[in-house]
Amino acid sequence: MSVTIKDVAKEVGVAPSTVSRTLKDHPSISQETKEKVRKAMDKLGYVPNVSAQNLANKYVDTIGIILPVIGSKERKSNPFYLEIITAMNEEASKQKVTISVASAPTQEELLANVELMYRQKRVDGFILLYVEEDDMVLDYLVKNKVPFTMIGQPYKYFNETSCVDNDNQLLGYTATKHLLDKGHTKIVFTTNNQKENFFKERFFGYQKCLMEENLEMYQAMPLIEPESYLAFDKFLKEEKPTACIAIDDMFALRLIQMINLSGYKVPDDISVISFNNSVFTTLLHPYITSIDVNATQLGKTAVEEFLTQLKEPTELKKRVIIPHMLIENETVMKIK
């Protein structure tokens, strides 16, 4: 038979409600009594029933972190997610809450995990680390009024969504303007991700910057399938761009390899700039010029915003913008 609250109360000579309040560290119970109750718990081997407490309490003090569907080895090892989850965990610890991660290989399995976590009251709500156009997880959260915050900008549910994000249009604009300032006019935007909103926003910033200068712009160059690599090689030889914008640092490494395989050097022949300023920027020479999105601040602020929305459900939903910083390294060369 397992030890119950009544057994502990009998051992100490107090009411079961006193033991229950001690578990919650209630200020109405004296420190002396709390110590006696805790010693009795240790002596009898009492283990609190967390599930039962969760059902009785309004909050379980746990935030669910929803990762995107991890469809490739490259995406699975992206340091952005590790950096941002580490920041969230540190902030959650300061706020005396914990985090629990939801991930799955398919959208349907991810939705099932999220539903189960919330239905069993294992989390108070969620922070989404991705944005996709047709997302059944987001539909579920909004429809069921589940508290959530998103890192990114949604395609819909603007009034129902609390967001923490960079200004991704400005990021794309900043990267393009930096290349223009270095004398480049033939610039192409390359990516291995066309689904998430941040790609579209950054590409729009690229287009806007070139339009302001009345310069030619190219369609985004997706480098996803083997056929696209051949098309990219042909593009380099025919159009002769002097600079490429890469969607993130991890992809920039692959891009530099592809440029080298096509017979060009970075930055001597083609300059490269990317986003995130992750560990990948300094793995190999030339070090990659990148725009720091401040992933640590994104994660910290997302936790703060989620807890605000959770405790104040009538609070207006906000979009909090985290500033970025250009980090100049070795992959952008000034040309005449």
Side-chain angles (χ1 to χ4, degrees), residues 159 161-162 305 308-309 312-319:
N159 288 337
T161 305
S162 164
E305 284 302 306
T308 298
Q309 296 293 331
E312 303 290 340
T314 58
E315 184 87 6
L316 288 174
K317 300 295 185 284
K318 293 180 291 187
R319 185 184 177 206

Side-chain angles (χ1 to χ4, degrees), residues 67-122:
L67 285 168
V69 170
I70 307 297
S72 68
K73 186 177 180 181
E74 188 173 275
R75 194 173 191 183
K76 195 179 295 184
S77 56
N78 194 321
F80 174 79
Y81 299 121
L82 177 60
E83 188 175 349
I84 208 163
I85 288 174
T86 300
M88 287 178 167
N89 194 47
E90 290 174 357
E91 183 60 28
S93 180
K94 289 179 186 175
Q95 303 281 355
K96 299 191 180 342
V97 298
T98 59
I99 64 172
S100 179
V101 176
S103 65
T106 69
Q107 196 74 16
E108 291 75 16
E109 290 173 274
L110 184 60
L111 175 60
N113 286 347
V114 168
E115 287 180 325
L116 187 65
M117 289 170 75
Y118 192 68
R119 192 168 62 246
Q120 292 185 344
K121 208 175 179 186
R122 286 151 49 190

